[in-house]
């Protein structure tokens, strides 16, 4: 960055908040471009202590935080950028400030390709939009970008933004014409990348794309991150069906838990069973079923044992005993659907196994609420297997959802009880308009917090829940928290919590990142 540049000084004065001006921020691309999501450092836990309760120490830390971090210091924020990169970023963000341009970006691109041709359009976009938002096209072009960021203490998360281009000649399943499962996302908000299901062959091809991404992470950012979406690995209609089945499983536990103490005793199980189910040799069936759930012979069933035991085959068996064919029986997956679920599980496990072998951490994105129970189920099964001694698989929690904190607490409890490392990325959320429109259309409760303040509050509460969990404070487990935010107050809150709970900024142990997204 040239010193004494009047133009640059004027430019910096016009930029009020460096946090709103990220380099290599994630955007949608269609032609197989690599994305690099910025993360400011890799903070790891070496030691931990109990949280200080003295207000004087908290005040000292807050004052120390203000001295150490200057969010409005343009020199620090942009020190890894050249003058030309900074000017380009300023121009790109000004263009993106026009809502009409953003909402019609696909149409403008297609029209430009028709009028000017691919060569001219790529010539114009490669050094501008592509150069700003994308890390590169392949391993060779990614490397300089990653190394440049690394020199400024910034790591990278590689995300391959392309769908496989294969024929659709072997169609396994298709969505009905009146299906409300979206295949694209467009509203007044920015576009969110999704995958539309075509064939099992398409899903297998997507696996190969993700494998390429994982290997690239290993090649350019060892011990780094890769991100994937589960909707690329199976039919979204199937994910919704499976999610519906899982919700019915949760509802049945709620009915079994008569006194609402979070546990189902044998007496409760027997009484509710006799109300809902019929069959020969009922006493034998009830005893057999209860033992299936209460594997350790504790005399009660907890929510974790219930949800991990009641798989699709067992659910179908239970449905056969139902006195009435209600929502539970209707939600049961068919044998063909079970096979597709197993294929989806197999694809995800293949990716996680590769990531584990290469020491790459895998973040599995959250998606729409009508897919999320199935995605949570998949992620937890992978964490249970691969997170025994490391933070290989990361769950994603969308904090704009009203049930976000409850779900996060349940996942942390499951990790503690089953003795594996919980790892999570927290985001605010990306599908607010679609979620609210769908809930209104179906006459359901809005799943989104009523105000942005409620979302902020939830975000910071979950952050503290993760950092302060018992296993972390006693040194038995790493924090394994990805704070995905461009919100300055959230970054400040993260640093404050780490200091309040005595987590040191060291080179090995816990991971804590800020990601501009």
């Amino acid at each position: 960055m040239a010193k004494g540049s009047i133009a640059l000084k004027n430019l910096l004065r016009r930029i009020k908040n460096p946090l709103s001006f990220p380099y290599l921020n994630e955007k949608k691309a269609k032609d197989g471009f690599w994305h690099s999501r910025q993360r400011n450092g890799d903070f790891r836990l070496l030691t931990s202590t109990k949280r200080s309760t003295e207000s004087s120490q908290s005040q000292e830390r807050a004052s120390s935080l203000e001295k150490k971090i200057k969010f409005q210091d343009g020199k620090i924020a942009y020190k890894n950028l050249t003058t030309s990169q900074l000017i380009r970023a300023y121009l790109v963000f000004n263009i993106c400030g026009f809502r009409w341009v953003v909402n019609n970006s696909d149409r403008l691109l297609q029209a430009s390709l028709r009028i000017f041709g691919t060569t001219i359009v790529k010539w114009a976009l490669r050094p501008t939009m592509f150069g700003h938002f994308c890390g590169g096209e392949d391993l060779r072009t990614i490397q300089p970008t990653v190394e440049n960021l690394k020199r400024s203490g910034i790591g990278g998360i590689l995300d391959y933004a392309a769908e496989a281009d294969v024929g659709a000649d072997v169609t396994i399943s298709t969505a009905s014409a009146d299906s409300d499962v979206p295949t694209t996302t467009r509203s007044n908000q920015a576009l969110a990348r999704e995958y539309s299901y075509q064939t099992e062959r398409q899903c297998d091809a997507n696996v190969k794309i993700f494998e390429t991404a994982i290997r690239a992470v290993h090649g350019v950012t060892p011990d780094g991150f890769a991100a994937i979406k589960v909707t690329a690995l199976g039919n979204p209609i199937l994910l919704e069906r499976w999610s519906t089945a899982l919700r019915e499983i949760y509802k049945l536990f709620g009915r079994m838990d008569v006194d609402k103490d979070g546990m189902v005793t044998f007496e409760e199980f027997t009484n509710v069973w006799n109300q809902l189910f019929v069959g020969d040799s009922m006493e034998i069936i009830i005893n057999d079923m209860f033992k299936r759930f209460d594997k350790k012979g504790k005399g009660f069933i907890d929510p974790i044992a219930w949800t991990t035991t009641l798989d699709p085959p067992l659910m179908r068996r239970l449905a056969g005993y139902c006195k009435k064919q209600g929502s539970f029986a209707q939600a049961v997956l068919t044998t063909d659907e079970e096979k597709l679920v197993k294929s989806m599980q197999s694809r995800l496990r293949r990716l996680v196994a590769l990531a584990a072998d290469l020491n790459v951490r895998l973040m599995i994105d959250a998606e729409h609420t009508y897919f999320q129970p199935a995605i949570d189920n998949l992620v937890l099964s992978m964490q249970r297997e691969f997170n025994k001694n490391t933070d290989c698989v990361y769950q994603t929690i969308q904090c704009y959802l009203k049930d976000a904190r409850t779900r996060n607490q349940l996942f942390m409890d499951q990790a503690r009880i089953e003795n594996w490392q919980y790892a999570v990325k927290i985001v605010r959320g990306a599908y607010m308009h679609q979620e609210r429109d769908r809930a209104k259309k179906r006459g359901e409760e809005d799943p989104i917090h009523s105000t942005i303040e409620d979302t902020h509050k939830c975000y910071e509460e979950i952050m503290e829940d993760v950092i302060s969990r018992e296993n972390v404070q006693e040194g038995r487990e790493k924090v394994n928290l990805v704070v995905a935010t461009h919100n300055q107050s959230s970054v400040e809150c993260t640093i404050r919590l780490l200091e309040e709970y005595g987590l040191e900024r060291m080179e090995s142990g816990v991971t804590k990142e800020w990601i501009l997204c």
Side-chain angles (χ1 to χ4, degrees):
M1 190 178 292
K3 294 182 179 180
S5 169
I6 297 176
L8 183 56
K9 288 181 179 179
N10 290 335
L11 181 60
L12 287 171
R13 276 198 291 268
R14 294 187 64 182
I15 301 170
K16 295 182 179 179
N17 186 357
L19 280 178
S20 67
F21 206 127
Y23 179 60
L24 293 176
N25 199 0
E26 183 189 13
K27 286 289 178 179
K28 183 180 178 183
K30 288 190 171 182
D31 300 322
F33 299 149
W34 290 99
H35 294 189
S36 178
R37 301 180 187 172
Q38 182 173 339
R39 61 186 179 96
N40 192 2
D42 196 350
F43 295 65
R44 296 179 176 273
L45 171 68
L46 186 60
T47 59
S48 63
T49 60
K50 295 287 186 180
R51 184 181 185 184
S52 172
T53 57
E54 298 186 18
S55 60
S56 60
Q57 291 183 354
S58 297
Q59 291 173 356
E60 288 177 6
R61 285 170 178 156
S63 176
S64 174
L65 174 63
E66 291 176 2
K67 292 178 181 178
K68 287 191 293 186
I69 300 178
K70 301 176 180 179
F71 287 98
Q72 307 303 323
D73 190 331
K75 290 182 179 180
I76 295 175
Y78 309 125
K79 67 179 181 179
N80 66 310
L81 299 179
T82 64
T83 302
S84 60
Q85 287 174 329
L86 191 57
I87 293 172
R88 178 186 66 185
Y90 178 74
L91 294 175
V92 165
F93 275 107
N94 269 276
I95 292 172
C96 292
F98 292 99
R99 185 173 296 277
W100 183 88
V101 174
V102 175
N103 290 343
N104 294 278
S105 57
D106 281 347
R107 294 177 183 175
L108 289 171
L109 176 60
Q110 295 305 319
S112 299
L113 289 170
R114 285 195 305 269
I115 297 170
F116 302 108
T118 303
T119 302
I120 293 177
V121 171
K122 284 190 174 182
W123 173 83
L125 292 182
R126 192 176 299 277
T128 54
M129 293 292 185
F130 179 90
H132 176 79
F133 288 118
C134 299
E137 297 177 67
D138 51 34
L139 193 59
R140 180 184 58 81
T141 55
I142 295 167
Q143 192 80 46
T145 303
V146 172
E147 290 177 354
N148 180 51
L149 291 172
K150 193 179 294 184
R151 283 192 289 271
S152 297
I154 301 170
I157 296 176
L158 298 186
D159 188 1
Y160 194 79
E163 298 181 30
D165 184 15
V166 298
D169 55 320
V170 187
T171 302
I172 304 298
S173 175
T174 57
S176 61
D178 59 351
S179 171
D180 56 2
V181 177
T183 55
T184 58
T185 302
R186 180 185 294 279
S187 66
N188 291 331
Q189 297 296 97
L191 292 174
R193 177 170 57 85
E194 299 173 350
Y195 293 85
S196 59
Y197 174 85
Q198 293 178 3
T199 68
E200 288 290 279
R201 182 181 168 194
Q202 172 78 50
C203 295
D204 290 336
N206 287 336
V207 170
K208 293 180 180 179
I209 286 176
F210 287 134
E211 286 177 335
T212 303
I214 292 168
R215 289 192 176 94
V217 171
H218 177 69
V220 300
T221 57
D223 195 34
F225 284 92
I228 66 171
K229 279 183 176 286
V230 171
T231 44
L233 306 178
N235 186 345
I237 303 297
L238 176 64
L239 275 172
E240 185 175 11
R241 285 270 294 118
W242 188 13
S243 293
T244 300
L246 289 167
R247 286 193 184 93
E248 290 300 323
I249 289 172
Y250 305 150
K251 286 181 185 178
L252 182 58
F253 181 86
R255 295 187 68 175
M256 291 279 187
D257 182 17
V258 177
D259 59 6
K260 306 304 177 187
D261 65 349
M263 299 177 184
V264 175
T265 64
F266 181 75
E267 182 181 0
E268 289 175 321
F269 186 85
T270 301
N271 291 337
V272 177
W273 180 281
N274 288 325
Q275 295 173 22
L276 301 178
F277 304 104
V278 295
D280 299 328
S281 305
M282 287 293 288
E283 186 176 345
I284 296 174
I285 293 173
I286 291 173
N287 279 295
D288 175 64
M289 282 292 180
F290 191 83
K291 288 178 181 178
R292 280 176 176 264
F293 291 103
D294 183 24
K295 293 182 176 68
K296 296 183 179 180
K298 297 181 292 186
F300 62 85
I301 305 169
D302 60 50
I304 294 172
W306 180 268
T307 54
T308 55
T309 303
L310 192 46
D311 56 11
L314 184 56
M315 185 179 182
R316 187 166 58 253
R317 181 182 172 188
L318 279 182
Y321 296 126
C322 286
K323 289 182 178 180
K324 296 181 180 179
Q325 295 296 300
S327 58
F328 181 87
Q330 292 169 3
V332 173
L333 299 180
T334 66
T335 53
D336 287 341
E337 287 173 330
E338 283 183 30
K339 291 177 182 177
L340 292 175
V341 166
K342 289 180 179 178
S343 294
M344 193 187 311
Q345 292 170 327
S346 177
R347 292 185 188 105
L348 181 58
R349 191 189 182 284
R350 174 176 159 183
L351 293 171
V352 176
L354 175 63
D357 288 343
L358 298 178
N359 198 31
V360 170
R361 289 168 285 182
L362 205 60
M363 295 193 308
I364 301 177
D365 289 344
E367 304 192 46
H368 300 86
T369 53
Y370 38 91
F371 299 147
Q372 200 56 48
I375 294 172
D376 288 343
N377 188 283
L378 284 166
V379 174
L380 288 171
S381 67
M382 294 300 108
Q383 289 184 316
R384 187 179 296 115
E385 180 177 358
F386 291 94
N387 281 22
K388 292 178 181 178
N389 300 305
T390 186
D391 56 328
C392 180
V393 181
Y394 276 69
Q395 174 70 268
T396 300
I397 299 291
Q398 298 181 105
C399 298
Y400 70 175
L401 296 176
K402 293 175 181 176
D403 67 351
R405 193 180 185 191
T406 301
R407 286 172 49 241
N408 182 69
Q409 188 61 56
L410 180 63
F411 299 154
M412 289 196 301
D413 289 344
Q414 189 161 349
R416 177 179 51 80
I417 292 169
E418 297 178 352
N419 196 29
W420 47 267
Q421 291 195 24
Y422 185 55
V424 63
K425 175 181 73 172
I426 55 173
V427 301
R428 281 175 170 77
Y431 307 105
M432 184 173 71
H433 287 280
Q434 298 95 305
E435 295 287 6
R436 283 184 163 160
D437 289 346
R438 187 175 190 271
K440 184 177 180 180
K441 180 180 176 182
R442 297 164 68 95
E444 298 171 348
E445 181 185 356
D446 184 355
I448 309 296
H449 283 302
S450 301
T451 66
I452 186 63
E453 289 75 22
D454 289 339
T455 296
H456 292 330
K457 181 173 181 287
C458 180
Y459 193 95
E460 295 186 358
E461 286 174 343
I462 291 177
M463 191 191 307
E464 183 165 11
D465 290 343
V466 174
I467 291 173
S468 66
R469 65 188 191 273
E470 183 180 344
N471 281 355
V472 171
Q473 291 303 298
E474 295 183 358
R476 296 193 302 270
E477 188 177 341
K478 299 182 292 183
V479 174
N480 301 329
L481 171 64
V482 173
V483 181
T485 183
H486 57 212
N487 186 293
Q488 179 175 327
S489 63
S490 295
V491 174
E492 292 172 333
C493 178
T494 306
I495 301 169
R496 183 170 61 252
L497 288 172
L498 287 172
E499 294 189 343
E500 286 180 2
Y501 283 97
L503 304 185
E504 300 295 331
R505 178 175 173 175
M506 296 292 183
E507 285 205 351
S508 63
V510 63
T511 303
K512 193 287 298 180
E513 285 106 12
W514 312 326
I515 302 169
L516 301 175
C517 58

